[in-house]
Amino acid sequence: MEKVWKFIKAQPVLVTAFILAVATMFIVPPDREYAGYCNRTVLIELFALMAAVAGLRSIGIFEAATRLILQKTGTVRRLGAVMILICFFSAMLVTNDVALITFVPLTLLIYRNINDEKSLILTIVLESAAANLGSMMTPVGNPQNLFLYDKFGLTAMTFLKTMLPVGTLGLAAVLGITFFLPKSSCKAPGRREEKIPVIKATVYIGLFLLCIAAVFRIVPDWVCLIAAVLAMAVCDVKLLLKVDYILLGTFVCFFVFVGNIARIGAVSEFFSHILSGKELIIAALLSQFISNVPAAVMLAEFTDNGTALLLGVDIGGFGTIIASMASLIAFQIYRGSEGAKTGRYMTVFTIVNVALFLLLIIFQLIIMKA
């Protein structure tokens, strides 16, 4: 029972999704229509993308690039700005989760020699915000974008026009907050440079580019899946263990839950009615309680306004600590560090994220009414 409870505490979103899926099975018993619930393309693209990023991370390519950039960093304030920009732009391609898993530990390492806990907390909070902002700018930046991009058949230009204004404003706001960081000196951590294996790097980069091509519908998803399996089998079979199967399982459970809900006439009609014209607000608010990935999957069946829903769940990633799983990951990494002050972290996180949430949603409402 202790192991079960630990799993529930560690994976509350998956457990909730599973309970909801099972509960709706008693209302809509399993039948042939269940096979059409899951979005195969999204699951395949997520799997292959996570495999490619895990491979690139395993050979140290992100750390090497970051150390190179940080050689130009001389103060804590510049460090904050550089790390924010790194998280912002890397999240566009490797997802917000991976950006934070990669760069928050590096930030903790750098700050060992600075001894400034207040600046460390603010830097990590801003990195978390920057990763969420960067991830909203591309279809592959986070799982909900990938799902909605495919679900509503959005074009790259439509996606960019939708997300560029709010993403740009958010980045400007986050960079502005770095002025609260001091100008005290700092430097990147010293570390022996290790050679990056050229063949593996080529394979993983090729797989990543293939994933991008699949997202933009240039190649079929099954090609991406075969390439991912072959790349892991040839280069490093252990990468199979580094794929986030929890996320994939969460998607499957929510697909089943939403598929069943859509077949219950009264419930489907209710959601369709309350969402009409209010996709942005409802998606943003729902994300505060169940996180933006499940909010996207749950609401997508009951509206045709994909762009408003996209904006709602991405802006909804700000606010509470559970609104974005990436933010929760950054907090958990910090909490595990020596001398972590979790109470102070939560205070700073809440102030920054609530302010960003209000700024972005008000800004977007003004744009939509203009």
Side-chain angles (χ1 to χ4, degrees):
M1 284 300 296
E2 185 178 347
K3 289 183 179 180
V4 172
W5 180 241
K6 283 184 178 179
F7 182 82
I8 293 173
K9 288 175 66 178
Q11 304 297 338
V13 178
L14 172 63
V15 173
T16 301
F18 179 77
I19 292 172
L20 290 173
V22 171
T24 56
M25 286 181 181
F26 289 100
I27 304 172
V28 182
D31 56 21
R32 290 182 179 179
E33 289 191 39
Y34 270 56
Y37 286 172
C38 291
N39 189 317
R40 184 198 70 181
T41 298
V42 169
L43 294 176
I44 288 176
E45 289 170 353
L46 271 176
F47 174 82
L49 187 62
M50 287 189 287
V53 171
L56 290 170
R57 190 164 181 259
S58 71
I59 60 177
I61 199 165
F62 298 131
E63 291 84 349
T66 304
R67 285 196 301 274
L68 183 64
I69 294 171
L70 288 178
Q71 288 176 358
K72 303 295 182 180
T73 301
T75 68
V76 172
R77 185 177 295 175
R78 285 183 186 173
L79 168 66
V82 168
M83 294 306 296
I84 284 167
L85 290 172
I86 289 173
C87 287
F88 180 83
F89 288 108
S90 63
M92 289 182 179
L93 299 176
V94 301
T95 76
N96 48 359
D97 293 0
V98 172
L100 294 173
I101 289 171
T102 301
F103 299 119
V104 170
L106 181 61
T107 303
L108 289 167
L109 180 61
I110 294 171
Y111 267 90
R112 283 182 186 174
N113 299 322
I114 298 176
N115 194 27
D116 184 350
E117 193 69 19
K118 288 183 179 179
S119 296
L120 170 62
I121 289 173
L122 182 56
T123 300
I124 294 177
V125 167
L126 294 179
E127 285 175 350
S128 174
N132 283 330
L133 287 165
S135 71
M136 70 165 60
M137 303 289 277
T138 65
V140 296
N142 54 51
Q144 70 268 17
N145 282 9
L146 186 60
F147 168 71
L148 294 174
Y149 183 84
D150 184 77
K151 172 73 176 178
F152 292 98
L154 302 176
T155 65
M157 186 56 66
T158 298
F159 189 99
L160 182 61
K161 286 181 178 179
T162 300
M163 304 310 299
L164 185 60
V166 70
T168 303
L169 174 64
L171 177 61
V174 169
L175 287 173
I177 299 174
T178 61
F179 283 95
F180 287 97
L181 293 170
K183 289 185 177 180
S184 51
S185 62
C186 70
K187 60 180 181 179
R191 183 177 170 183
R192 182 174 60 86
E193 292 292 336
E194 298 179 0
K195 282 190 174 183
I196 294 175
V198 177
I199 295 178
K200 285 186 176 182
T202 302
V203 171
Y204 297 142
I205 291 173
L207 176 59
F208 181 79
L209 294 175
L210 191 63
C211 291
I212 300 297
V215 169
F216 289 110
R217 309 178 188 102
I218 298 172
V219 299
D221 53 21
W222 60 266
V223 172
C224 207
L225 176 62
I226 293 173
V229 173
L230 287 176
M232 288 186 285
V234 172
C235 294
D236 187 356
V237 73
K238 291 181 181 178
L239 290 178
L240 280 167
L241 301 176
K242 295 183 180 181
V243 171
D244 190 352
Y245 296 105
I246 295 295
L247 177 61
L248 296 176
T250 301
F251 262 94
V252 171
C253 289
F254 268 106
F255 281 143
V256 172
F257 167 66
V258 173
N260 284 337
I261 287 293
R263 292 172 64 185
I264 303 172
V267 177
S268 178
E269 196 173 315
F270 169 75
F271 275 108
S272 299
H273 176 70
I274 64 168
L275 263 182
S276 181
K278 306 181 189 71
E279 290 86 356
L280 175 67
I281 295 295
I282 291 176
L285 292 177
L286 184 61
S287 297
Q288 303 305 303
F289 302 99
I290 68 171
S291 185
N292 51 8
V293 174
V297 178
M298 180 176 177
L299 298 177
E301 290 297 323
F302 308 108
T303 180
D304 295 324
N305 195 341
T307 54
L309 183 58
L310 175 67
L311 282 162
V313 293
D314 276 352
I315 293 174
F318 300 95
T320 65
I321 192 72
I322 65 170
S324 166
M325 293 307 294
S327 298
L328 195 56
I329 287 170
F331 171 66
Q332 290 174 336
I333 294 173
Y334 169 75
R335 187 174 62 179
S337 65
E338 186 178 351
K341 293 180 171 57
T342 55
R344 178 179 290 174
Y345 184 99
M346 285 302 299
T347 300
V348 175
F349 177 90
T350 302
I351 292 171
V352 170
N353 275 264
V354 169
L356 284 171
F357 176 83
L358 293 174
L359 172 67
L360 298 181
I361 203 160
I362 291 171
F363 173 74
Q364 189 57 45
L365 285 171
I366 292 171
I367 289 179
M368 291 171 72
K369 289 181 179 179

